[in-house]
Amino acid sequence: PRENVLPVWPVNTHDASIAIGVVPYHAIAPKLNALQAVSDRVSASVVGKSSSGYDLYGVTVTWPETAAEARQQERWKREIENEPVQAQNDAKLKAGYKTPLFVNANIHGNEWEGTDAALRVIEEFATSNDPEIVTLLKRNRLVFNVTSNPDGRVLGTRANAAGYDLNRDLTIVSQPETVVIRDLTIATQPTIALDLHGYVEPTLLHPSTPPHNVNDEYDLYIKHALPNALGIEAGLKALGHPETQRARIPFRDDAPGVWDDFPPIYVPSFSMLQSSIPYTIEAPLNPRGTNLTPAERVRRSGINTDVHEVAIRESLDYIQEHRDEVLFDQAEVFRRGWAGEPQRDLPDGYVPGWGPEDNYHTTLPRSYVIPVGRGQRSDTAAARLVDLLVGSDGRVTQATAPFTANGKSYEAGSYVIDLHQPKRGLVNSLLEPGADITDRVDDLYAGPAAWSQGLTWGATVDTLWDELPSVPTKRTYDGVAKGGLPAGTPDLRLDIQDGADLLAVNSLLDQGVDVYRLADGSVVVPHSGANRRLAAVETRTHKVKFTAAPAGWTGTELDEVVVGYLGTVEERDTLLDNGFEARALAANNLATTLTADVDVVLVNSNVNVAGLTAPNRAALDAFLARGGGVVGLGTQGAAFTNATSLLSVTATAGASLASGVVNVVNSDGPVASGAAATSWVFQPVWYANVPATAKVEQSYAADPLLSGWWAATNATNGQAAAASQASIVSAVSAGGNGVVLIGTDPTVRLHAKGLHSQLGRAILFASEQ
């Protein structure tokens, strides 16, 4: 064991856990410290911090190992991934490897009981001399993320203190808690992973309905996932509680789309791409609410804790009963990746209930290239994407010499991703455009139905279907961008195509540097010795690349921008991530928050302008009278510009779960000039009846959906209705206000980082009129 004395937190009598009779956050560290003191089977450590600063606890329970034995366990784990054929035939590995089980508890803060079940199992396994438990410890490592959302546990909220649902963030990793979950999953390489939730009655547990992620080796998953689920169901019945006499297994019990495992954003979906057999476990009884007596809340939380404990124990038993096959199949996922084998088509009845509706596949290319320098839209975006791939345990190399592939020339340093690698499904899931699944399912659990960081994070990514570039490469563990300045003493132009460019612009403005916006949305910094020195700092800090400004340029001078937002934490954090000063506004406090220093209002919430109180309406009128700019997102933004007579359009939204990568057509303008030919939507919005005084800077293509799901609930909101309609509109109002409407989704879940430059350009345009 690696025993650590965990810091103890002060007693918090307001911890929301107390009311339902579960362990409050402040009691977790003392309990783990006590178990480490009395048992040589427990290793506990602080593995990270929550968004508000709480400690995150990683705990391993296993039979004690010497340092040499621990090193051997690590070698065997790596052998399974790196030498899978050898591992499949390694008798010593089969006999001696401790199969890992990973338990992620309490990711939704007000779904508490997974933590209590984890602590119960940790305590029993740490102290029991039951021969069966001793055998399990000698054959397994149990790894626990005891409470992956302590913020929400204490506050009684689903989200963390920053306002994010952590179980939507595994391939965005915008939150510190999610980084820990991802890293523990990768480090553990679990055979089975359990994500403990509540509350769905009866108890819900995976496997899921289709659509299934097209990059999974689903045959190797479902053959174990379904029988283990049935074993968990039997264990629940054996508890004897009336509320646990049956379970809901979506694969068996629900129609396609009701509870799918399609996006890789969830803990189980991400874990499957790491070659695990994962589960969501939804305990049945909601202990929340003021209409329950204290005794009833405690009774419910006790049953829920029992349910999660059964899931842990039954999964351990399944691993032991099917140990050789589970290990073989985990290695088989990696073997197929290394070999570049095609995915399997499964016959109807492969497992009970398997049918053609379950067969989801993709065409795997031979490799990808992410260019650097020439041919790359944004080197900073490319570096960010590489960091995501590497951080998710994908393998990326860099070319050590220039090369040509598929008729295109690439500079040395370009990233080459050989898809013959163990976690090819994970890598391809992040890079490929995705599939249009509109015609395959009538519903989705949540979405998004396509994500494609390869198309939505702002970098140029080239797909090589049949070719691995013939060039020497070296493996890289970091994305690297190199900023630069042109030679000589020209005025400096920066084409804003990434959030890093916005950070540089806002930094220069904050330092009082003269910055001018050109008609195409790029900016120019006039030459002076001081300006060049400050620009050089930005190239080193944010890795941006300045070029020489065109001769005879003319532009509008910018100033520091304060943005008030009517929206959510997503708008707040997108603004902050791109260097803007963000001010929270609300319709009921505009009189005190919409002060004279606010330059632009970003609108992504429903505001009843006609219903504002007199002081709040006066503050809004004063803002507009002094030329304040407005950037509106979706239908809410259009409703605001219509109500204030700034820009009248007809806004239409697709179905609520319509989402994915869309084809767009850009025109020259301050917002969309130089933008990519694809964008991202999570409920697409389009604008019709755009007045002649406005400019349509971007529109949906004639065939709008490249990948995702976009069904029409009626004839007005399907893909055909959006075809060729405006997605970005800019204008200057009669009163001189800069106005932009954006119908794509640059802020949702902090995902579409490639759209941040468009939002930033819109803000800069709106600020200067």
Side-chain angles (χ1 to χ4, degrees):
R2 297 187 181 96
E3 295 180 356
N4 301 280
V5 177
L6 305 176
V8 174
W9 287 74
V11 172
N12 178 1
T13 58
H14 300 291
D15 189 317
S17 309
I18 296 171
I20 67 162
V22 295
V23 177
Y25 175 77
H26 58 255
I28 296 174
K31 188 173 188 67
L32 294 174
N33 283 337
L35 287 172
Q36 289 185 105
V38 301
S39 174
D40 59 358
R41 307 171 187 175
V42 181
S43 300
S45 62
V46 174
V47 290
K49 296 280 189 179
S50 73
S51 64
S52 69
Y54 285 115
D55 292 330
L56 300 170
Y57 306 121
V59 177
T60 299
V61 184
T62 193
W63 196 253
E65 301 166 9
T66 66
E69 289 170 336
R71 287 193 295 271
Q72 181 60 64
Q73 290 296 319
E74 184 64 23
R75 283 194 291 268
W76 277 329
K77 184 182 73 176
R78 293 180 180 179
E79 182 182 336
I80 291 169
E81 179 179 346
N82 296 326
E83 301 288 344
V85 175
Q86 177 177 303
Q88 288 171 330
N89 296 283
D90 187 336
K92 290 183 178 180
L93 183 154
K94 292 183 205 177
Y97 181 58
K98 290 183 173 180
T99 42
L101 174 78
F102 177 54
V103 177
N104 189 62
N106 196 205
I107 191 170
H108 291 147
N110 60 357
E111 299 167 10
W112 292 271
E113 296 89 346
T115 293
D116 293 74
L119 290 171
R120 185 189 292 177
V121 171
I122 291 168
E123 182 170 14
E124 182 176 1
F125 278 51
T127 58
S128 174
N129 291 316
D130 183 324
E132 183 179 347
I133 289 178
V134 171
T135 298
L136 283 171
L137 289 170
K138 289 181 176 180
R139 302 280 279 170
N140 295 274
R141 280 183 175 178
L142 285 66
V143 180
F144 299 87
N145 191 7
V146 177
T147 169
S148 56
N149 184 2
D151 296 357
R153 186 175 188 84
V154 171
L155 296 170
T157 58
R158 178 183 177 92
N160 68 352
Y164 289 89
D165 185 334
L166 301 175
N167 203 34
R168 304 292 186 273
D169 195 49
L170 263 293
T171 55
I172 305 168
V173 283
S174 68
Q175 302 301 299
E177 301 92 337
T178 319
V179 174
V180 168
I181 297 168
R182 179 192 70 176
D183 292 351
L184 281 174
T185 301
I186 293 168
T188 303
Q189 196 171 293
T191 48
I192 290 181
L194 303 173
D195 196 31
L196 305 183
H197 288 256
Y199 304 99
V200 177
E201 190 172 5
T203 300
L204 181 146
L205 58 145
H206 284 185
S208 298
T209 69
H212 309 302
N213 190 295
V214 296
N215 285 284
D216 288 322
E217 304 291 339
Y218 220 80
D219 61 316
L220 300 176
Y221 162 72
I222 194 66
K223 65 189 286 190
H224 299 295
L226 183 58
N228 186 43
L230 297 174
I232 294 172
E233 182 179 48
L236 296 177
K237 290 180 181 178
L239 285 172
H241 303 301
E243 298 92 338
T244 63
Q245 292 308 295
R246 64 188 181 95
R248 174 183 164 194
I249 301 173
F251 177 81
R252 180 190 67 186
D253 299 329
D254 292 337
V258 171
W259 196 288
D260 63 83
D261 54 3
F262 189 62
I265 55 175
Y266 311 116
V267 171
S269 300
F270 178 80
S271 299
M272 200 187 311
L273 291 167
Q274 297 287 336
S275 193
S276 178
I277 304 162
Y279 293 84
T280 289
I281 309 290
E282 296 275 358
L285 301 177
N286 191 341
R288 302 187 295 252
T290 58
N291 61 329
L292 300 176
T293 66
E296 176 61 12
R297 282 198 285 270
V298 170
R299 186 188 78 85
R300 292 185 176 201
S301 65
I303 292 174
N304 292 337
T305 302
D306 290 345
V307 165
H308 288 317
E309 183 182 2
V310 164
I312 296 170
R313 290 180 177 276
E314 292 291 336
S315 296
L316 272 173
D317 288 345
Y318 184 87
I319 294 171
Q320 297 321 296
E321 293 170 11
H322 305 274
R323 175 183 168 82
D324 287 353
E325 189 178 9
V326 166
L327 279 174
F328 185 94
D329 288 342
Q330 182 174 63
E332 178 67 7
V333 172
F334 300 139
R335 188 198 67 78
R336 292 179 187 179
W338 282 116
E341 291 185 358
Q343 294 174 306
R344 305 309 199 251
D345 280 316
L346 304 186
D348 293 353
Y350 176 76
V351 296
W354 184 271
E357 71 278 4
D358 289 297
N359 267 309
Y360 277 79
H361 299 302
T362 190
T363 302
L364 294 157
R366 181 62 183 86
S367 64
Y368 290 96
V369 176
I370 304 175
V372 299
R374 186 179 59 256
Q376 178 54 255
R377 291 188 69 252
S378 169
D379 282 334
T380 52
R384 184 188 303 115
L385 179 57
V386 167
D387 285 342
L388 177 71
L389 292 168
V390 171
S392 301
D393 211 27
R395 302 187 181 214
V396 181
T397 64
Q398 276 188 290
T400 58
F403 65 97
T404 300
N406 198 31
K408 181 175 177 179
S409 297
Y410 295 94
E411 295 182 14
S414 292
Y415 304 99
V416 177
I417 298 103
D418 182 352
L419 216 57
H420 288 192
Q421 61 172 289
K423 296 181 181 178
R424 65 173 181 180
L426 182 280
V427 172
N428 201 55
S429 188
L430 297 178
L431 293 182
E432 73 172 353
D436 183 347
I437 61 170
T438 304
D439 294 334
R440 293 205 62 179
V441 289
D442 296 326
D443 192 16
L444 285 175
Y445 171 69
W451 43 94
S452 186
Q453 281 84 344
L455 289 177
T456 59
W457 275 37
T460 301
V461 179
D462 294 336
T463 304
L464 302 181
W465 291 104
D466 304 307
E467 181 180 1
L468 177 66
S470 179
V471 62
T473 62
K474 62 179 180 180
R475 190 168 176 185
T476 185
Y477 297 91
D478 292 292
V480 177
K482 296 179 181 178
L485 295 171
T489 58
D491 296 335
L492 303 175
R493 175 180 179 266
L494 183 60
D495 187 16
I496 300 173
Q497 294 295 340
D498 185 69
D501 301 321
L502 290 167
L503 286 168
V505 170
N506 282 314
S507 175
L508 292 171
L509 290 172
D510 289 345
Q511 296 173 81
V513 175
D514 293 334
V515 180
Y516 294 81
R517 188 190 64 79
L518 307 189
D520 67 356
S522 64
V523 298
V524 168
V525 177
H527 173 72
S528 73
N531 284 356
R532 188 174 177 90
R533 285 192 295 274
L534 290 172
V537 171
E538 298 307 319
T539 67
R540 295 191 295 270
T541 304
H542 299 299
K543 313 303 181 185
V544 297
K545 185 174 294 184
F546 290 89
T547 59
W553 63 267
T554 59
T556 305
E557 187 170 7
L558 297 172
D559 201 351
E560 295 177 71
V561 184
V562 176
V563 184
Y565 65 93
L566 290 156
T568 70
V569 296
E570 293 170 334
E571 281 70 55
R572 175 199 69 194
D573 291 344
T574 302
L575 291 169
L576 293 174
D577 285 351
N578 291 285
F580 292 101
E581 182 178 343
R583 179 87 49 81
L585 307 176
N588 62 2
N589 68 10
L590 293 179
T592 56
T593 58
L594 191 54
T595 50
D597 59 336
V598 175
D599 303 292
V600 175
V601 171
L602 174 63
V603 182
N604 195 26
S605 65
N606 290 313
V607 179
N608 182 2
V609 174
L612 293 174
T613 65
N616 290 324
R617 182 60 195 252
L620 176 59
D621 289 344
F623 168 78
L624 297 177
R626 66 174 180 266
V630 173
V631 176
L633 304 181
T635 56
Q636 296 93 334
F640 185 88
T641 65
N642 285 337
T644 53
S645 301
L646 294 174
L647 175 61
S648 295
V649 298
T650 301
T652 304
S656 61
L657 285 176
S659 53
V661 181
V662 290
N663 298 305
V664 293
V665 178
N666 299 299
S667 63
D668 292 335
V671 178
S673 181
T678 55
S679 191
W680 190 72
V681 294
F682 202 163
Q683 193 176 24
V685 171
W686 55 97
Y687 307 110
N689 300 317
V690 177
T693 52
K695 180 177 181 61
V696 175
E697 293 205 33
Q698 184 186 87
S699 59
Y700 293 99
D703 183 11
L705 188 67
L706 175 63
S707 60
W709 184 85
W710 187 346
T713 55
N714 57 57
T716 65
N717 69 351
Q719 296 180 47
S724 303
Q725 297 293 326
S727 54
I728 298 179
V729 178
S730 63
V732 178
S733 75
N737 311 88
V739 185
V740 179
L741 294 176
I742 300 176
T744 56
D745 285 290
T747 63
V748 172
R749 297 184 182 167
L750 306 185
H751 168 62
K753 302 183 189 306
L755 305 190
H756 289 183
S757 60
Q758 296 168 34
L759 178 63
R761 283 167 167 254
I763 291 168
L764 294 178
F765 166 80
S767 72
E768 71 191 30
Q769 305 302 321

